[in-house]
């Protein structure tokens, strides 16, 4: 790999301008590396052409796992291991006593689906405590939007295009790896 | 302006005619003499293979023969009444089915107006037309409830209307201050009057808003106010209605969350019918402003309220199952023993199926998918009402046969006719609603 690569940072102050700029830059077939915004911009992922998230699918699978865990656990504890008569509840088979187990089955399903999905989200987006913030410009957490595109052979042309899309500030950055 | 197609008109009239034939057949075959019932019971007994044991009992204890015979008589009489009640109950379940759909739609409509929802105004005319069935539908329910007492002999859907039963039933006697025909009718008139008054004015203001000057939203404000008022009225009356029209078929039993349970069933069926009618009209190109995001929203409501229904079903069932208090648990004992398949089958239809099918976001935008799921939910809702009413009237003598299907066809045809006739009375898109622009551009 190269020791360094050049990127262009274009700053915007309005999300509508940013959206139009994204469409323009995509039409010019420049690769958008990253966009930093202070808040979710509705429709930005569609404009950038990002693939839809599969987080919901993982959550469904985690929920199934939670359901299975609860069923196996309760079945072992209440039916197989020590089937006591507790207040006359029928502990002869899982099905017979199932209404009493449903609250736990429900809660564990939700618990697994929610927590494992959140952990998956953290892993996939590389977030953890003490992680060094990857912020190219602190203004992007307040009121500025930053688009990062990789610099090509003709940097001047790219600069012109970005200025025309309404960027308030365009800079060439040498990214040291 | 929508005009009812001839094909739809003929279709619903064919349904009504077929339904009348089915219902007539049901009533003609339900009057059996005591002797006929006895022979029928003996035959059934022989089929069960229990014939020999009963003969043995007779020979072993000649002294108790007299008591046995009177016991047999009593049982045969009971079965005779159950058979006589079957066509009445079949009609009653279907009448309730379509009435609750109209009422559920009306409640949903009022919620949309009172919450000033921005997505739904393009569907208001559909909702208004479906809830137009409420007046005839609710009157049919009441006529069947009271008619079953006055017409025929001992075939009441509501056993507390039978003076012979009340005479030797201390529990019903103590409830007779509430459960008597006069009070029942007075309450019914208040409910139906209140609901239909709301429907009438909501419709009137909605159409008046269409013809109002631009910027004049007085009618919109009026419809907002009455919607808020109606929702308060509805919450009380729906609850009392569920005690009167549904829970009191078992006058010995009571449940506190029954009203909400009935509500959850009617709202999910109502939303399903809104979605299905909207998809039908959109398919014909009559609702150009309805896009797949509207269908998506309706499907989300179908999903959510299916889960809500299951939650209430389970809450009611589990609390009673867990505590197992004899006077409460008989309700579920009789249902699980005699109605095992419909009782648990409706859980699959009303919960498991919509839960899994409507979970994925993309499928909620596919019209035929929502349509198919809607059919399953509606069948599930019918079975739900079937299991509420039938065990108390026909007991284990139930079957989904000609009387039941005939009743569905008869009232279903009437429902279609009323709904789509009402649809022709006003433009399908309300144009004066202040939220119409937002609704038109609604996108999820």
């Amino acid at each position: 790999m190269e020791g360094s690569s050049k990127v262009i940072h274009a700053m915007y102050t309005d999300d509508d301008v940013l959206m139009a700029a994204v469409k323009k830059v995509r039409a010019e077939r420049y690769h958008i590396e990253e966009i930093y915004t202070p808040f979710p911009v509705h429709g930005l992922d569609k404009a950038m052409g990002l693939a839809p998230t599969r987080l919901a699918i993982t959550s469904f699978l985690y929920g199934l796992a939670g359901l299975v865990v609860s069923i196996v656990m309760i079945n072992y504890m209440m039916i197989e291991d020590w089937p006591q008569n507790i207040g006359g509840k029928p502990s002869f088979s899982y099905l017979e006593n199932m209404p009493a187990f449903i609250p736990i089955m429900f809660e564990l399903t939700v618990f697994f689906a929610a927590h494992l999905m959140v952990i998956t989200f953290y892993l996939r987006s590389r977030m953890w405590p003490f992680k060094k913030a990857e912020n190219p410009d602190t203004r992007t957490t307040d009121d500025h939007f930053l688009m990062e595109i990789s610099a090509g052979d003709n940097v001047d042309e790219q600069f012109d295009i970005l200025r025309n899309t309404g960027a308030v500030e365009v800079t060439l950055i040498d990214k040291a790896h | 302006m929508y005009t009812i197609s001839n094909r739809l008109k003929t279709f619903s009239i064919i349904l009504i005619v077929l339904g009348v034939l089915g219902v007539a057949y049901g009533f003609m075959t339900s009057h059996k003499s005591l002797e006929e019932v006895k022979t029928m019971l003996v035959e059934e007994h022989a089929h069960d293979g229990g014939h020999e044991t009963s003969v043995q009992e007779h020979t072993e204890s000649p002294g108790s023969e007299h008591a046995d015979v009177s016991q047999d008589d009593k049982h045969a009489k009971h079965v005779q009444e159950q058979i006589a009640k079957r066509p009445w109950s079949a009609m009653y379940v279907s009448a309730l089915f379509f009435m609750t759909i109209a009422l559920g739609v009306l409640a949903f409509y009022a919620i949309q107006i009172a919450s000033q929802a921005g997505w739904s105004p393009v569907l208001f005319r559909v909702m208004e037309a479906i809830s137009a069935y409420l007046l005839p539908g609710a009157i049919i329910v009441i006529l069947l409830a009271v008619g079953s007492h006055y017409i025929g002999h001992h075939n009441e859907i509501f056993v507390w209307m039978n003076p012979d039963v009340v005479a030797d039933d201390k529990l019903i006697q103590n409830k007779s201050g509430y459960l008597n025909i006069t009070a029942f009718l007075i309450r019914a008139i208040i409910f139906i009057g209140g609901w239909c008054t709301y429907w009438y004015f909501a419709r009137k203001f909605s159409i008046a808003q269409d013809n109002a000057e631009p910027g004049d939203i007085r009618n919109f404000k009026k419809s907002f106010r009455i919607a808020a008022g109606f929702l308060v009225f509805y919450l009380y009356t729906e609850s009392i209605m569920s005690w009167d029209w549904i829970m009191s078929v078992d006058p010995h039993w009571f449940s506190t969350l029954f009203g909400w349970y009935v509500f959850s069933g009617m709202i999910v069926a109502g939303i399903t019918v809104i979605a299905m009618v909207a998809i039908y009209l959109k398919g014909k190109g009559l609702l150009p402003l309805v896009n797949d995001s509207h269908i998506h929203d309706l499907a989300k409501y179908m999903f959510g309220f299916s889960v809500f229904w299951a939650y209430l079903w389970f809450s009611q069932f589990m609390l009673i199952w867990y505590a197992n208090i004899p006077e409460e648990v008989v309700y579920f004992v009789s249902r699980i023993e005699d109605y095992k398949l419909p009782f648990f089958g409706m859980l699959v239809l009303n919960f498991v199926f919509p839960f899994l099918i409507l979970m994925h976001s993309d499928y909620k935008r596919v019209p035929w998918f929502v349509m198919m799921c809607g059919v399953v939910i509606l069948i599930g809702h019918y079975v739900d009402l079937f299991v509420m009413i039938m065990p108390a009237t026909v007991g284990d003598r139930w079957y989904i046969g000609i009387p039941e299907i005939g009743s569905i066809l008869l009232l279903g045809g009437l429902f279609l006719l009323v709904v789509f006739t009402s649809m022709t009375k006003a433009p399908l898109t309300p144009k004066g609603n202040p939220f119409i622009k937002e609704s038109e551009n609604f996108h999820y």
Side-chain angles (χ1 to χ4, degrees), chain B residues 218-238:
Chain B
R218 273 176 303 169
N219 286 300
F220 171 75
K221 284 184 177 167
K222 276 191 222 161
S223 65
F224 173 79
R225 276 191 217 113
I226 56 166
F230 165 74
L231 283 172
V232 176
F233 177 78
Y234 168 79
L235 210 63
Y236 284 100
T237 51
E238 187 274 335

Side-chain angles (χ1 to χ4, degrees), chain A:
Chain A
M1 264 188 77
E2 292 172 83
S4 73
S5 61
K6 287 190 170 143
V7 292
I8 302 172
H9 280 179
M11 288 290 246
Y12 297 89
T13 50
D14 188 283
D15 48 340
D16 288 333
V17 178
L18 175 76
M19 285 290 279
V22 169
K23 283 172 194 151
K24 181 90 174 28
V25 170
R26 293 244 309 159
E28 299 281 346
R29 302 200 160 275
Y30 288 121
H31 178 64
I32 299 174
E33 298 269 340
E34 193 65 84
I35 294 182
Y36 297 87
T37 65
F39 52 78
V41 178
H42 190 73
L44 187 62
D45 51 340
K46 279 222 178 73
M48 288 171 72
L50 298 181
T53 173
R54 288 167 296 181
L55 209 52
I57 298 167
T58 66
S59 176
F60 178 72
L61 297 176
Y62 296 146
L64 280 184
L67 187 63
V68 170
V69 165
S70 66
I71 291 173
V72 170
M73 178 182 76
I74 300 170
N75 185 50
Y76 175 71
M77 295 195 302
M78 304 302 289
I79 309 295
E80 281 174 11
D81 189 35
W82 196 356
Q84 291 181 96
N85 180 343
I86 303 167
K89 284 279 161 288
S91 53
F92 308 108
S93 76
Y94 188 78
L95 216 55
E96 267 181 307
N97 209 357
M98 189 161 88
F101 303 150
I102 282 190
I104 296 153
M105 287 157 65
F106 169 76
E107 292 293 351
L108 276 184
T109 307
V110 174
F111 179 86
F112 273 62
H115 288 82
L116 291 180
M117 176 176 72
V118 168
I119 292 169
T120 309
F121 168 73
Y122 285 152
L123 290 176
R124 284 293 286 145
S125 44
R126 300 173 184 285
M127 294 206 297
W128 53 85
F130 312 114
K131 169 172 166 121
K132 196 172 174 302
E134 298 164 353
N135 197 345
D137 193 313
T138 48
R139 285 173 298 171
T140 61
T141 62
D142 183 16
D143 60 349
H144 280 61
F145 304 83
L146 190 153
M147 181 175 11
E148 180 180 299
I149 66 174
S150 47
D153 300 330
N154 195 343
V155 177
D156 290 341
E157 193 195 306
Q158 284 180 314
F159 266 58
D160 281 347
I161 291 167
L162 288 172
R163 286 218 181 83
N164 283 337
T165 58
V168 292
E169 204 180 299
V170 184
T171 39
L172 185 68
I173 306 276
D174 203 356
K175 240 189 182 176
H177 278 284

Side-chain angles (χ1 to χ4, degrees), chain B residues 24-265:
Chain B
Y25 172 82
F27 276 105
M28 274 174 341
T29 51
S30 68
H31 293 290
K32 289 199 172 10
S33 69
L34 205 58
E35 291 311 308
E36 280 175 309
V37 174
K38 274 185 186 164
T39 21
M40 193 190 79
L41 285 175
V42 169
E43 273 170 21
E44 274 176 20
H45 216 55
H47 273 296
D48 292 344
H51 193 63
E52 282 166 39
T53 49
S54 79
V55 169
Q56 252 175 5
E57 271 168 30
H58 276 276
T59 47
E60 271 170 17
S61 54
S64 68
E65 198 153 283
H66 182 70
D68 243 24
V69 168
S70 75
Q71 202 63 31
D72 271 2
D73 255 13
K74 214 174 165 191
H75 179 60
K77 216 170 160 57
H78 183 60
V79 172
Q80 184 192 20
E81 281 178 17
Q82 287 181 329
I83 293 171
K85 282 175 182 181
R86 185 173 159 202
W88 284 103
S89 321
M91 279 283 276
Y92 191 69
V93 172
S94 296
L96 271 182
F97 176 71
F98 289 105
M99 190 281 295
T100 54
I101 287 174
L103 188 55
V105 170
L106 190 67
F108 188 70
Y109 174 71
I111 292 170
Q112 295 302 307
I113 292 180
S115 63
Q116 304 202 355
W119 67 279
S120 51
V122 292
L123 292 165
F124 277 179
R125 285 293 142 77
V126 174
M127 300 184 202
E128 285 163 17
I130 297 171
S131 42
Y133 177 77
L134 185 55
L135 181 60
I139 288 173
I140 291 171
V141 168
I142 291 308
L143 288 181
L144 284 169
V146 181
S148 66
H149 169 62
Y150 288 110
I151 304 167
H153 185 65
H154 284 344
N155 48 18
E156 289 87 351
I157 298 166
F158 295 95
V159 78
W160 55 263
M161 286 184 184
N162 185 343
D164 295 352
V165 172
V166 179
D168 36 71
D169 192 323
K170 198 86 176 138
L171 264 167
I172 304 182
Q173 279 169 25
N174 285 335
K175 291 183 183 181
S176 61
Y178 184 85
L179 288 180
N180 60 73
I181 294 180
T182 321
F184 180 87
L185 281 177
I186 292 172
R187 286 193 301 268
I189 290 167
I190 294 172
F191 306 155
I192 301 173
W195 301 334
C196 293
T197 310
Y198 168 69
W199 179 81
Y200 173 78
F201 282 105
R203 173 90 165 169
K204 191 178 145 196
F205 295 146
S206 173
I207 291 171
Q209 182 63 47
D210 265 19
N211 305 322
E213 299 281 310
D216 174 13
I217 55 161
R218 273 176 303 169
N219 286 300
F220 171 75
K221 284 184 177 167
K222 276 191 222 161
S223 65
F224 173 79
R225 276 191 217 113
I226 56 166
F230 165 74
L231 283 172
V232 176
F233 177 78
Y234 168 79
L235 210 63
Y236 284 100
T237 51
E238 187 274 335
S239 199
I240 303 172
M241 175 277 278
S242 74
W243 311 335
D244 272 15
W245 300 2
I246 301 176
M247 194 160 80
S248 76
V249 290
D250 291 287
H252 286 183
W253 182 80
F254 47 85
S255 160
T256 34
L257 63 65
F258 196 75
W260 302 340
Y261 173 63
V262 171
F263 165 75
S264 68

